[in-house]
Amino acid sequence: MSMLIGFREKSFLDKISILNEVATAKDPVELEALLDLFQNPLEDTSVDYMVVTALNGVLSADEQKTVELLSKEDGKLRILCIRVCGEFQFKSAVPVLMQMADEASDPDFLFEVLTSLSKIGGPESLELFRSNINNDDDLIVVMSIEMLAELKDEQSIPELKGFVERNNEEDRYEVCDLTTWKAVECLATIGTDEALDFIVSNLHHRNPTVRRVVTDSLTVLGSRAVPYLNKIISPDTAKDDMILAANVLGFIGDKEALDGLMDAIEKQYSTDSSVKYAIYEAIGRIGTMKGVISLIDGLEDDDELITVAVMTGLDGLVNPGVTKKLVEIVGQGGSKAGKILRAIVTAKAVNVFQALYAEGKIGRFLMNAVAASKDAEVHEAFRAKLVEIGGAEAEADMARLPEAVVAGGKRALAVDDSKSMLALYRSILTSGGYEPTVAENGQDAYSHIELSEEFDVIITDMNMPVMDGMEFVSKLRQTNGYADIPVIMVTTESEYSQQELARKTGVNDFITKPFTADQLKAKIAEYVS
């Protein structure tokens, strides 16, 4: 006997209790009464909601009846049944749903049907999703692209490439369309040679968000992406493309990338400092003993930023050979020795520090450089290493390090995905009297803004994973209280249009890598007295 006999005359609490039981029991005997309550509601929001819940429960246990009800004229009932078919993956509904999609003229209704088919899955609806990849409704297009990705449809590659190419045109590159975003992710999922070569060729897409999506997609692919990225590490490749390819290879960290990166250094594919920096940093991130050869060679470079990147990489690869080479170079004295000692401190290379600490005068010079730092984090890192080393000399050296460094009252936020760049920013900012806060990407940086932290200046990279510099600055400028804070963007970009785009998001000024500490301080001084 139905539990819903005389339901309309029951009290509110009894109605809720009965509907809960019906939803749990899923007894088909209750279906007709539930359909009557659904089509002729009681006008009580809570009860009517529970009727829908109970009807969902009963239909979920009766695939045949649910599919039959798809043909009903009642629009609300059809939508409910469409959703139940998708939620519970009723395969027998696929032919009916596909016919409904073919006949649909209302985009909202078509979206409901496609959503249900996407949840059911399977290749039967592939042609339908292909046919909707150029629908006028962007949500339908996105749904179709996501399904083509799930089905790894190689036939759709030309259409997917078209989305990315159109978004690179002169009148469209300033905004990343959601369809472009999904097209890149779909191509990465399909993963054929054609698809991955195309994605890699768009590492330097004119839109920064597309660049980030490309970077993130390739990083997620991991070792699968390495052969395609290796093609970009070439003497014929443009500077910006090689930098971005090296960055992604570093993020992936696969040793199969090492030969190409080491060749780029040995054969001097580029003399540009920014390119060399990106390659050295990638070699350091991969972190194998084979890469030590190139990193040691990098110590000969005059660029301080490259030395910091090299030291960051070497710190995880210290061995007797590395120690011997460092002792040899530093022992010669001069500007090169000073540059290396400063890099050890800036990079907080505590393992290198430990290896050199017992090397007589070299250890003393290195300890002097640590003590001279104005960065509290540097003191904390090396103090911890001195505790580990132990002994009377280490105790005496710990006493030389202040327990805390008094901040200069000014605060700066530095944003970069490079560990060595963040280390350099800390060094430059603390020496200039700033209290630095650092973040690895725009999202991390914006978390400080959400906490209403105050800064006198913000320095941000342009190209970063998770959230790029332009998106971060755009969000910053839309946040109350941050409209006027000076933002300096650090970039290697050679294309003028990128700076124009950045200015539109709210960037005040630019400084191009490579730069010296004095150049960055001078740039900051233009905006902060």
Side-chain angles (χ1 to χ4, degrees):
M1 180 181 293
S2 171
M3 288 186 280
L4 295 171
I5 294 173
F7 180 82
R8 292 178 184 271
E9 286 72 44
K10 303 284 185 182
S11 70
F12 173 79
L13 290 178
D14 284 344
K15 288 173 182 173
I16 297 298
S17 177
I18 291 168
L19 289 170
N20 267 320
E21 287 187 54
V22 171
T24 303
K26 301 180 181 180
D27 190 341
V29 75
E30 309 292 358
L31 183 58
E32 291 305 318
L34 282 172
L35 287 172
D36 177 67
L37 289 169
F38 178 77
Q39 293 168 320
N40 302 286
L42 279 71
E43 306 301 334
D44 182 313
T45 304
S46 298
V47 175
D48 292 339
Y49 175 80
M50 284 302 301
V51 168
V52 173
T53 301
L55 185 54
N56 262 294
V58 172
L59 289 173
S60 72
D62 193 339
E63 179 171 345
Q64 182 179 345
K65 188 64 178 178
T66 305
V67 175
E68 287 176 9
L69 290 172
L70 287 173
S71 61
K72 292 291 184 182
E73 292 299 320
D74 185 323
K76 286 199 308 178
L77 181 59
R78 291 182 86 193
I79 293 295
L80 185 143
C81 291
I82 288 168
R83 291 175 179 174
V84 170
C85 287
E87 184 179 352
F88 296 97
Q89 298 181 316
F90 289 165
K91 289 283 187 183
S92 62
V94 170
V96 181
L97 291 170
M98 288 179 63
Q99 183 177 348
M100 292 168 74
D102 287 337
E103 296 171 355
S105 56
D106 175 33
D108 291 336
F109 182 75
L110 176 59
F111 183 78
E112 289 282 356
V113 175
L114 291 175
T115 300
S116 181
L117 284 166
S118 71
K119 290 178 178 178
I120 296 170
E124 297 86 356
S125 55
L126 173 57
E127 190 56 48
L128 176 64
F129 285 104
R130 273 192 202 138
S131 68
N132 278 288
I133 198 172
N134 288 309
N135 195 286
D136 292 335
D137 188 297
D138 280 351
L139 287 178
I140 290 174
V141 174
V142 168
M143 168 75 68
S144 299
I145 292 174
E146 288 176 342
M147 195 60 188
L148 293 173
E150 185 175 324
L151 296 169
K152 295 189 175 181
D153 180 41
E154 296 181 22
Q155 191 172 319
S156 65
I157 289 175
E159 291 283 0
L160 295 166
K161 289 165 66 175
F163 286 110
V164 183
E165 289 166 343
R166 286 190 292 276
N167 209 160
N168 210 19
E169 293 171 359
E170 185 64 35
D171 59 340
R172 298 185 62 176
Y173 78 91
E174 292 190 4
V175 177
C176 173
D177 298 330
L178 181 58
T179 51
T180 302
W181 186 318
K182 291 298 179 181
V184 171
E185 292 181 338
C186 183
L187 286 164
T189 301
I190 292 171
T192 63
D193 287 345
E194 180 185 2
L196 297 185
D197 275 330
F198 178 77
I199 293 176
V200 169
S201 73
N202 279 276
L203 272 167
H204 197 243
H205 193 283
R206 293 174 75 185
N207 181 274
T209 303
V210 177
R211 290 200 296 271
R212 176 171 60 77
V213 176
V214 167
T215 295
D216 291 348
S217 297
L218 291 169
T219 303
V220 168
L221 279 173
S223 59
R224 282 272 294 113
V226 169
Y228 304 92
L229 289 161
N230 279 343
K231 297 176 188 178
I232 306 298
I233 307 300
S234 157
D236 301 321
T237 300
K239 161 190 160 182
D240 294 327
D241 293 83
M242 202 183 312
I243 289 170
L244 292 170
N247 287 344
V248 179
L249 287 169
F251 295 147
I252 293 171
D254 192 292
K255 63 183 181 181
E256 294 301 319
L258 205 54
D259 286 341
L261 293 167
M262 291 176 68
D263 279 349
I265 295 296
E266 183 182 346
K267 298 174 183 178
Q268 295 188 332
Y269 287 176
S270 175
T271 57
D272 184 272
S273 292
S274 296
V275 175
K276 291 194 290 182
Y277 167 79
I279 292 172
Y280 278 122
E281 184 169 59
I283 292 171
R285 278 177 165 158
I286 293 170
T288 66
M289 295 309 298
K290 183 178 179 180
V292 167
I293 299 169
S294 291
L295 293 174
I296 290 292
D297 288 343
L299 293 173
E300 300 294 332
D301 200 288
D302 292 331
D303 190 294
E304 293 230 11
L305 179 55
I306 287 176
T307 309
V308 173
V310 166
M311 201 56 65
T312 301
L314 284 176
D315 195 50
L317 300 166
V318 176
N319 62 31
V322 171
T323 303
K324 181 180 178 181
K325 186 64 177 178
L326 287 170
V327 168
E328 178 187 323
I329 297 173
V330 176
Q332 294 172 3
S335 60
K336 190 167 292 184
K339 177 172 65 75
I340 289 175
L341 293 176
R342 288 192 299 274
I344 293 170
V345 177
T346 298
K348 297 197 286 286
V350 293
N351 296 317
V352 173
F353 171 82
Q354 183 173 13
L356 297 180
Y357 185 71
E359 295 291 336
K361 288 184 178 179
I362 291 175
R364 293 299 86 207
F365 288 142
L366 182 52
M367 191 60 224
N368 290 341
V370 172
S373 172
K374 295 182 179 180
D375 188 344
E377 280 198 10
V378 165
H379 294 158
E380 183 180 343
F382 286 100
R383 181 181 288 108
K385 182 54 70 173
L386 287 167
V387 169
E388 184 182 324
I389 292 170
E393 187 173 42
E395 289 282 348
D397 283 333
M398 277 189 276
R400 297 175 60 190
L401 301 179
E403 289 296 328
V405 177
V406 178
K410 293 177 289 186
R411 297 192 67 203
L413 173 62
V415 194
D416 203 295
D417 57 296
S418 163
K419 182 179 177 182
S420 50
M421 279 302 301
L422 291 178
L424 186 68
Y425 289 137
R426 287 195 65 90
S427 176
I428 294 172
L429 290 167
T430 52
S431 69
Y434 284 85
E435 179 186 348
T437 297
V438 297
E440 294 181 351
N441 55 63
Q443 182 173 293
D444 188 15
Y446 193 71
S447 67
H448 293 282
I449 305 304
E450 289 179 310
L451 294 172
S452 299
E453 294 185 36
E454 295 182 0
F455 300 100
D456 295 280
V457 65
I458 293 176
I459 304 153
T460 180
D461 192 21
M462 178 181 285
N463 296 310
M464 295 179 287
V466 185
M467 182 188 289
D468 59 78
M470 290 196 213
E471 185 179 353
F472 164 61
V473 175
S474 179
K475 289 189 71 172
L476 177 82
R477 294 309 191 203
Q478 295 171 39
T479 305
N480 288 338
Y482 293 91
D484 299 321
I485 182 171
V487 176
I488 298 167
M489 182 163 277
V490 182
T491 180
T492 60
E493 294 287 344
S494 56
E495 193 175 327
Y496 177 73
S497 64
Q498 294 300 300
Q499 290 197 8
E500 284 300 294
L501 190 54
R503 286 190 188 279
K504 289 180 181 179
T505 67
V507 173
N508 297 92
D509 211 337
F510 301 86
I511 187 166
T512 304
K513 298 176 188 175
F515 55 81
T516 65
D518 287 341
Q519 286 171 333
L520 180 58
K521 287 177 182 178
K523 181 65 70 175
I524 293 171
E526 292 178 24
Y527 295 91
V528 184
S529 58

